[in-house]
Amino acid sequence: MITIALAFAFLCFAVGLAITLWRIIVGPSSADRILALDTMVINVIAMILLYGIWLGTDVYFEAALLIAMVGFVSTVAYCRFILRGDIIE
Amino acid sequence: MLKRLFPHPLLSLTLVFIWFCLANKVTLGHLLLGGFLAIVFPIITAPYWPGRARVGHPVKLFKYFLLVMWDIVLANIDVAKIILFKKNSEIHSHWIVVPLRLTAPEAITLLAGTITMTPGTISTMLSSDASSILVHCLHTDDPDGVRDEIKSRYEDRLLEIFA
Amino acid sequence: MNIIVEIVVSLLLIGSGIFALTGAIGLVKLEDCIQRLHAPTKAATLGVGGVLVASSVYFTMKSGALSFHEILIALFILLTAPITANFISKVYIEGAKSREDLPQTGTQHGWAIYDDPPRK
């Protein structure tokens, strides 16, 4: 039963990723693109955790944690670059 | 002596907790290792933290945390309903100005975070003198009601916590 | 493994999948950028939250020892989601709004993106 639920969750997150990718390509403003990238990072974290459950191992946990951290920093860096034209002042 | 060993007790506790989470088990060895980090890191980084974070009422803060968690779940269901079942022309978005009574920077940060995570509202900016906060609401027919709810539900509690 | 645990984990996974999909649909469907900002910050966050709780329950049941390191990611996402939302909304206001489009602050000081803080 967990296998079916996992497959369903994989499908949802994958479709979500594809949709956010469309928003990155189309997105009229840069705020849209940053937002879509941030959403992609969050979805990828969830997919890595799902993969960990799928294989029954928790070695992928650290990867998810690192991607969460890098994703946050990169989103803030993009925003600061657009707001100030500089990342580290 | 105790103050020199632990310049930031809250930071030390957080470090021990994070170490336990990373190790994913609670043993004496990990407590020693985490305790070592909890003593060394605050002392090294003390010059960057001139003030000490103060929590007046930990129990009330914890209750506030539980309330916000519950509200986040409800808010998600609300927003999901709006997104899935409303037409774009039926979604009435509003900008709302919430005047603030809070003055402590930590309290304002907490309030802004809470507003962003709860029912259909996002906090965007403070005014330059930090006396009011600009909130965007996804769907409401009663902007003043939303403002009053933010004030009565969250700001009053934060005022008590950081009194 | 216990049948009740399996049901709980499955329900959590399905719920989080639906929430994540809702967030993505909102990202495409809504018209204005600031409206689109509402969808992922809320729905996607709960989506990941559900997966984290499911993972915690699953590994606790599988190994017999309490697995709580998922709290770390959950707390991290919970703390950073408002900050990224705030930054992105500032980018949006900088690009698409002028001073006249926003409501007044109610005092003589304007919004922080346009005015400097008053001197002490």
Side-chain angles (χ1 to χ4, degrees), chain B residues 32-46:
Chain B
L32 284 177
L33 211 52
F36 174 72
L37 294 177
I39 291 171
V40 170
F41 278 9
I43 290 175
I44 293 175
T45 57

Side-chain angles (χ1 to χ4, degrees), chain A residues 1 5 8 12-13 15-16 19-20 22-23 32 35 39 42 49-50 53 56-57 61 64-65 68-69 72 79 83, chain C residues 6-7 10 13-14 17 20-21 24 27-28 33 36-37 40 48 51-52 55 59 62 69 73 76 80 84 87 94:
Chain A
M1 186 158 59
F8 178 78
C12 285
F13 279 100
V15 173
I19 293 176
T20 44
W22 186 78
R23 178 52 73 192
D32 279 306
L35 176 61
T39 315
I42 289 184
L49 287 164
L50 286 174
I53 300 177
T57 163
F61 169 78
L65 188 62
M69 290 177 170
F72 169 63
C79 291
L83 282 173
Chain C
E6 277 200 27
I7 290 173
S10 306
L13 287 175
I14 289 172
L21 197 56
L27 199 62
V28 173
C33 177
R36 288 197 278 269
L37 189 53
V48 180
V51 174
L52 284 164
S55 158
F59 283 114
K62 189 164 177 286
H69 59 184
I73 294 184
F76 190 80
T80 56
T84 49
F87 265 106
E94 167 117 342

